[in-house]
Amino acid sequence: DSTPVSSADEIRACLAMAVRLQGRHTACQLSMGLHDIWGLHAEGSDANEFRTSVRGALAAVAGELEECVYDYWEVDDGDPRNRENVNAITLSQSWAEQVASDLESAGLYGEALDGAPLSLARAVAMNAEGETTAPVLALDWGYTRATVCVVAGERPQFVRPLRDGGFGGFVSTLGS
């Protein structure tokens, strides 16, 4: 079910327990089960042309973009035969609005709504010692979906959801 559900009460409960938390600026990441990820090819001689090309390529595979928000980043796997040079991630507009409303109602200022691949890349970069050009495998083992991400140069280069890989299935197996 992709109908947005409020997490405002949970956010306020966390804030009540985090007595040493300072500041009100936040970044948020939603479950990859709410996102779609797309490998695309885009071209452009400048940033505006490239952005327009990405939007067109994404609309061709994802359909209407008016009901979603999206982000993208360039990738280079080193294989000149691979025409996919962009990864794009989409989220329904209604979920993005729900998150913004929940953060605001808890007195927080949302600065970023990241997809897991970008959050994983940031986590790898934060924990790396020195140069981060060597590929690192990162895993987001969510309850409903697991996502594998290869990060190199502080960017997600390869992202794929793992079929039937969510933590919830593991818990169900343990419980039976």
Side-chain angles (χ1 to χ4, degrees), residues 38-56:
W38 309 90
L40 307 170
H41 176 76
E43 297 177 355
S45 60
D46 61 35
N48 279 342
E49 276 187 26
F50 192 79
R51 188 173 19 263
T52 300
S53 180
V54 168
R55 184 171 176 79

Side-chain angles (χ1 to χ4, degrees), residues 91-170:
L91 173 69
S92 77
Q93 181 74 32
S94 57
W95 267 107
E97 290 170 357
Q98 183 66 59
V99 169
S101 174
D102 290 350
L103 293 174
E104 183 180 8
S105 74
L108 298 173
Y109 175 73
E111 290 195 13
L113 178 56
D114 273 347
L118 298 168
S119 295
L120 289 171
R122 188 172 22 262
V124 167
M126 288 170 54
N127 288 298
E129 295 179 15
E131 196 73 22
T132 59
T133 57
V136 174
L137 181 70
L139 177 68
D140 174 33
W141 198 12
Y143 192 79
T144 59
R145 176 189 270 181
T147 304
V148 67
C149 184
V150 175
V151 177
E154 299 183 12
R155 299 199 117 187
Q157 296 294 325
F158 176 84
V159 180
R160 292 296 181 271
L162 300 178
R163 185 180 201 154
D164 301 324
F167 188 69
F170 177 74

